[in-house]
Every structure is written in structure tokens, then in C-alpha cells.
């Protein structure tokens, strides 16, 4: 969800990489649904692992759920978002998680000085 929000809010001003330490076989269908409700289509995304090369290549790493599983490299900015896992949650809960992620992504985008589209 964070990658979807970041792409929607920052457009081509940022490059976004997504991954997980133990990615599943497919995206959570409830996540895809609630993001679509917000006008963000993530259905073509797919679970992929974070690799050491990706962590070394990026400027900011959101370690949501990965705090203990990603190496720390000097010069990287790490953000740790303590959020509920949407897996197995009802749509109402997934919507609340989506909205919290949007708020955090908006703050991140603002901290980068990236212009966002006017709604």
C-alpha cells in the first residue's frame, strides 16, 4: 500500500521499490480492493523479496515489518512504521490501515520536498 500511495502522490519524482523478507505467493486481495477504492490500481504488483542490492541502491528504506531482517547501511534513511498487518483482517480494518499508511506517506513525501498533485 505504501508503494501505491507513494507512486500516486509523488509520481515520477521518485523511484519506488517494493519487497518483503518473506513475500507471499500473491497480493492480499483486500489490500488490492481498498486501494482501488482510493483510485490506486496495484493489481499488477506482485510479491518479491528485498535483496541486499536493492537495500544498497535506495535512499530511504521503510522497514515496515522488516525491522530485524534488513541490514543497516551507513547513509541510508530508515523509517520504521509500526502498523497492523492487513493479512486476515476485515475490509474495515484494512481501510483503516490504508488510511494510516497514506498519512505516513504524505509526511514522507513532504519531508522530501516533493510536490504532490492537488485533489
Amino acid at each position: 500500500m505504501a508503494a501505491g500511495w507513494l507512486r500516486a502522490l509523488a509520481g515520477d519524482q521518485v523511484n519506488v521499490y517494493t519487497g518483503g523478507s518473506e513475500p507471499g505467493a500473491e497480493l492480499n486481495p483486500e489490500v488490492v480492493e481498498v486501494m482501488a477504492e482510493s483510485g490506486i490500481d496495484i493489481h499488477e504488483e506482485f510479491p518479491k523479496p528485498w535483496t541486499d542490492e536493492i537495500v544498497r541502491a535506495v535512499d530511504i528504506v521503510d522497514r515496515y515489518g522488516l525491522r530485524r531482517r534488513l541490514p543497516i547501511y551507513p547513509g541510508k534513511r530508515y523509517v520504521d512504521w509500526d502498523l497492523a498487518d492487513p493479512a486476515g483482517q476485515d475490509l474495515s480494518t484494512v481501510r483503516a490501515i490504508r488510511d494510516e499508511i497514506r498519512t505516513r506517506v504524505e509526511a514522507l513525501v513532504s519531508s522530501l520536498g516533493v510536490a504532490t498533485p492537488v485533489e
Side-chain angles (χ1 to χ4, degrees), residues 15-79:
N15 292 316
V16 181
Y17 298 93
T18 64
S21 62
E22 298 173 10
E26 62 186 21
L27 292 183
N28 178 326
E30 286 79 16
V31 166
V32 174
E33 181 177 341
V34 301
M35 291 301 287
E37 291 172 359
S38 293
I40 299 172
D41 182 3
I42 62 169
H43 85 276
E44 290 187 8
E45 286 289 337
F46 58 93
K48 48 199 157 296
W50 269 101
T51 64
D52 191 57
E53 293 78 21
I54 290 174
V55 175
R56 288 179 186 268
V58 300
D59 296 316
I60 301 171
V61 178
D62 176 1
R63 298 184 298 178
Y64 165 57
L66 303 172
R67 193 169 298 138
R68 295 186 184 108
R69 294 178 232 160
L70 288 178
I72 302 292
Y73 293 109
K76 303 290 176 201
R77 177 177 168 191
Y78 293 87
V79 294

Side-chain angles (χ1 to χ4, degrees), residues 105-114 116:
V105 169
E106 287 172 334
L108 177 64
V109 168
S110 177
S111 77
L112 298 173
V114 173
T116 58

